[in-house]
Amino acid sequence: MVSRPTRFDIQSGVPQGEARWFILQKGRLLLHEDDTLPIGRAEEFGLELTNSLGQLDGQAYAAAQLAGEVPAGYALSPLRSLFGRLSEDLFGLAGFAAQVVDFDRTHLFCGHCAAPLAFTGYEYAKACPECGLSVYPRVAPVAMVLIRRGVGADMELLLARGPNFPPDMFSALAGFVQPSETLEAAAAREVLEEVGVKIKNLSYILSQPWPFPHSLMIGFDAEYDGGEIALQPEEIEDARWFSVSNLPALPPRFSIARQLIDRAVSRSLAAPDPYSVPHDLL
Ligand SMILES: NC(=O)C1=CN([C@@H]2O[C@H](COP(=O)(O)OP(=O)(O)OC[C@H]3O[C@@H](n4cnc5c(N)ncnc54)[C@H](O)[C@@H]3O)[C@@H](O)[C@H]2O)C=CC1
Ligand SMILES: [Mg+2]
Ligand SMILES: [Zn+2]
């Protein structure tokens, strides 16, 4: 799972002594040639926006932004591309570190009075010394819905693709929750907006941090409840019903979209009417 394996006692500022570093630049992570994290003192790497992340298994960790050139023997890799290259725990931590640096980078001044913000020091937040405004790292909730109809071998899934998806890949539908909207209402609205159909019997299945840059995916399974597919052209390039026995190219295994799809497929094959059994959370 792409999530942080443990709670860190995050403190801002430069860690004293040696640390294992998550060094980021524009969504890319700095790795040694052997795919290991840089280890050393802050001053060795030319950093800014440095945040100590605390201890894990007796090892100090820290996050920062690379200020200058890539040091010899290292390379920057897009964070998303590192799933499967880093261990799941390390990938989860890298996503967490990326959100810490992104918060620090995008909250330098008060959004109300423009005074420079300062870390509060007692929780991972910043506050304005002039007007008292306090700000926390952003987490943007996204409702994701896997829509199905039929049972057993006749089950079909409604999958869609956005304009910047890899060729031929289709995924579950998703959309950001709007202010004061319930998750259920966001799910129904996004599906109606993006592909023109209605849903019913929504069930929560699982969630997944998606640090690109700060989404939290909330995964639902839903039954089709009528309507013909009509695409929202600016967001959806194509959307179709796919038989569970003839699915298109799908998102990578670690993604919540893929976990929702795999779950529906395994249930369709496991029981004549898999949805007659109580939903166990993954
Ligand atoms: N992990 C997974 O399996 C998947 C993750 N996702 C992620 O879910 C998120 C939302 O998916 P989309 O279909 O693109 O969302 P969406 O259907 O709501 O449309 C995206 C639009 O929402 C607006 N937007 C961008 N950031 C926002 C924010 N923080 N709050 C409110 N509106 C915002 C922008 O206009 C953007 O064009 C993205 O971060 C995407 O990467 C999407 C599909 C699969
Ligand atoms: Mg969407
Ligand atoms: Zn202020």
Side-chain angles (χ1 to χ4, degrees), residues 21-211:
W21 287 90
F22 293 100
I23 298 171
L24 295 124
Q25 194 179 71
K26 295 192 178 80
R28 297 169 303 161
L29 183 69
L30 189 73
L31 289 173
H32 202 262
E33 284 149 349
D34 60 359
D35 272 1
T36 55
L37 291 174
I39 291 189
R41 304 173 64 85
E43 51 273 22
E44 296 174 40
F45 301 105
L47 304 176
E48 58 192 5
L49 301 173
T50 304
N51 287 268
S52 168
L53 297 179
Q55 298 272 328
L56 179 64
D57 303 334
Q59 167 70 55
Y61 283 80
Q65 179 164 280
L66 183 66
E69 296 306 310
V70 176
Y74 291 90
L76 286 166
S77 301
L79 189 56
R80 279 195 199 201
S81 70
L82 294 175
F83 190 83
R85 264 177 60 187
L86 299 181
S87 72
E88 284 200 21
D89 270 359
L90 211 51
F91 184 80
L93 286 180
F96 167 58
Q99 289 192 249
V100 165
V101 174
D102 191 56
F103 167 65
D104 197 353
R105 182 179 65 83
T106 56
H107 293 78
L108 299 174
F109 301 99
C110 174
H112 175 64
C113 75
L117 290 175
F119 280 97
T120 60
Y122 55 85
E123 57 180 345
Y124 195 64
K126 291 189 177 184
C128 175
E130 299 300 320
C131 71
L133 181 81
S134 58
V135 287
Y136 293 83
R138 287 190 64 182
V139 177
V142 176
M144 168 166 279
V145 196
L146 180 68
I147 307 163
R148 55 180 168 78
R149 68 182 181 188
V151 292
D154 299 331
M155 181 183 286
E156 291 179 304
L157 307 179
L158 201 167
L159 302 175
R161 50 176 284 102
N164 52 6
F165 276 28
D168 305 327
M169 190 193 91
F170 284 72
S171 182
L173 291 157
F176 287 101
V177 180
Q178 302 304 320
S180 82
E181 194 174 39
T182 64
L183 290 173
E184 297 81 355
R189 174 185 53 75
E190 277 292 335
V191 166
L192 194 59
E193 280 175 2
E194 295 196 344
V195 291
V197 306
K198 290 196 181 132
I199 53 175
K200 64 180 178 183
N201 299 342
L202 205 64
S203 301
Y204 168 74
I205 307 301
L206 80 169
S207 64
Q208 178 175 69
W210 194 249

